[in-house]
Amino acid sequence: MISFVDPLVSGYTVVDFRNKALSLIEDMHHRKKLPIIVGGTNYYIESLLWNVLIDTGQGSDTESENGGTPESKAELEKLGGPELHRRLKEVDPDMAAILHPHDARKIARSLQVYMDTGVPHSRLLEEQRGQDGGDCLGGPLRFQNPCIFWLNYKMNALDERLDKRVDQMLSLGLIDELRDFHLRFNEKMIKESSQDYQHGIFQSIGFKEFHEYLTASENLSQEECDKLKMKGVESLKQATRRYARKQNKWVRNRFLKRPSSNVPPVYGLDVTDVTNWETTVLTPALEILDCLQKGEQPSTQPIRAEGVESRNKRSHHMCDLCEKVIIGDLEWTAHQKSKNHLYQVRKRRKAEHPSDQDTNPTEHKNVIDRFIGLQ
C-alpha cells in the first residue's frame, strides 16, 4: 500500500510526486503486491492513473536546446501575464490562443516546456492525446484494470467534521506552530516583498489565512489581536470546506465525466456515519477488489455519470463590450449572464437607441436576449 500526505504540504511538484510514486508502484508490481494510493490531491493522483504530463527530462538549472540557461518557472511568472503571453505567441501561438493572457502560471509552464525541449507545448500535448487510448485531457491509462474508491459524504456532515478537525488542530497548538514558522521562514520574505503565497508550502491551506494575525502590529490591543485570530480561524474553516467541494467537483468532472471510455470504474462508498465503517466502507471495498482481481463482476455497481455535456474548456472568446478575454464554453455562458455584462448590454443599447428608454420591460428583456444570442 502507498499512503501519501498531501504533496502540496510535502513540497513535491506534481512531476516529483509522479516519478517517486511510479517507482514505488513498479517495485510493488514486481513483488506481486497491490498498490493502493490513499489521500493526497486529485490532480497528483490523476498524473499516476493517466499519462497527462509533459516530462521534459530537464531541470531548471540545465541548458535548453535553444542555448543558454532557461529561466525558472517562478522567475518567468514575475514578468507578468501580458509579457509572458506575448513571448508565448511568438513560439507557440496555438497554446497562446487557449490560455488567458493573465494566467501567468500556465503561460510560464508552456514557455518552460518550449525552452527545455525546443518543441511547442501544444505539439507535445497533441502527440500525447493522439496516443492509443488518449483523449482531449491527455494520454492513455498507465495500468490495466485500475479502480477508484470515492469516499463521499452528505455535505452537512462533512462540513461539521471539517470544522471539528480545525478546532482540534487549534487545541493541539496550531497557532504556536504557525507563529514559529512565520518567524523562521516567512517574516523575512514579507519584509523583502517576495512573498505571494502562491508557491510551495506557502500555498497550503492553514497558513496564509492567518497572514493578518501573524503580521499584526505590536501596538494592537489584545481584543483586536483576538479578532484577527478568529478571522483567521473562520477563513481556515471556509477554505477547508471550499477545498473539499473542489475535490468532489474534480472527481465528477475529471473521473466520472471524462470524455472517453478510457476511465477506471469509480465506486462510491458512503462515509457519512463512520461508526458503520466496516459495513458501509471496508467490507464493500474488499469485496469489490476481490472480484476485480478474479476477473469477476462485483455486486456493487460503479457510479455512472449522467448528463455529460461536450464543452470546450479551452475555447477563446472576446467580449468587446466588457473588454475581457474569456476562456472556456462554460465560462463564456456564465459571463453572458453576469450582471456586469448585462449592464454593458443595456448601456450599449441606450447609447445606440436613446429614444427607446421608455420601452416596456418585456420588450427591453427581449432586446437583451437577442443581443446575447449574437455574441
Side-chain angles (χ1 to χ4, degrees), residues 39-70:
T41 302
N42 287 335
Y43 175 50
Y44 285 60
I45 293 174
E46 184 181 9
S47 73
L48 298 180
L49 290 172
W50 286 276
N51 182 16
V52 291
L53 296 177
I54 299 299
D55 192 350
T56 64
Q58 300 271 355
S60 60
D61 58 347
T62 58
E63 292 193 355
S64 70
E65 294 182 15
N66 294 336
T69 302

Side-chain angles (χ1 to χ4, degrees), residues 47-265:
S47 73
L48 298 180
L49 290 172
W50 286 276
N51 182 16
V52 291
L53 296 177
I54 299 299
D55 192 350
T56 64
Q58 300 271 355
S60 60
D61 58 347
T62 58
E63 292 193 355
S64 70
E65 294 182 15
N66 294 336
T69 302
E71 300 167 86
S72 71
K73 185 168 175 284
E75 288 298 316
L76 284 171
E77 287 183 38
K78 293 178 182 179
L79 297 175
E83 171 60 20
L84 290 173
H85 200 256
R86 183 192 66 78
R87 294 189 181 191
L88 186 61
K89 272 186 176 179
E90 294 178 355
V91 299
D92 192 352
D94 290 339
M95 202 66 191
I98 62 175
L99 293 178
H100 195 285
H102 294 295
D103 195 342
R105 182 179 63 83
K106 290 184 180 179
I107 299 172
R109 169 58 180 159
S110 290
L111 281 171
Q112 189 180 43
V113 168
Y114 176 77
M115 290 188 295
D116 285 347
T117 66
V119 180
H121 194 188
S122 59
R123 187 187 305 170
L124 293 173
L125 289 174
E126 190 65 29
E127 292 174 357
Q128 186 184 76
R129 293 163 183 160
Q131 297 174 20
D132 187 26
D135 56 38
C136 64
L137 296 180
L141 284 167
R142 296 182 185 276
F143 307 105
Q144 291 184 343
N145 303 320
C147 76
I148 298 170
F149 290 116
W150 183 16
L151 307 186
N152 45 44
Y153 324 66
K154 292 179 180 178
M155 290 311 301
N156 59 344
L158 177 59
D159 288 344
E160 183 180 350
R161 192 177 301 170
L162 293 174
D163 286 350
K164 286 182 178 179
R165 188 175 74 172
V166 171
D167 292 335
Q168 183 182 30
M169 291 165 63
L170 290 166
S171 68
L172 292 174
L174 174 64
I175 298 298
D176 290 338
E177 185 178 334
L178 292 176
R179 188 181 291 112
D180 177 65
F181 184 83
H182 171 70
L183 292 174
R184 287 198 293 159
F185 301 106
N186 196 48
E187 191 173 41
K188 181 180 178 181
M189 297 180 73
I190 292 175
K191 289 179 180 179
E192 296 173 349
S193 300
S194 61
Q195 178 58 282
D196 62 2
Y197 295 112
Q198 296 299 317
H199 295 94
I201 195 171
F202 293 101
Q203 65 185 305
S204 304
I205 295 175
F207 185 69
K208 57 184 179 295
E209 286 77 16
F210 289 90
H211 172 83
E212 289 186 70
Y213 173 71
L214 294 172
T215 59
S217 169
E218 295 180 355
N219 297 324
L220 283 183
S221 66
Q222 185 62 47
E223 182 181 0
E224 290 173 313
C225 285
D226 289 342
K227 285 182 179 179
L228 289 178
K229 182 169 75 170
M230 292 311 300
K231 180 181 178 182
V233 170
E234 185 55 35
S235 294
L236 173 55
K237 289 182 177 180
Q238 289 178 354
T240 304
R241 294 193 297 265
R242 187 164 55 246
Y243 186 67
R245 284 162 171 77
K246 182 179 179 182
Q247 292 286 64
N248 284 336
K249 184 178 179 181
W250 185 282
V251 172
R252 287 191 293 270
N253 291 338
R254 303 287 290 197
F255 295 167
L256 292 175
K257 296 183 179 181
R258 202 173 186 94
S260 73
S261 58
N262 190 28
V263 183

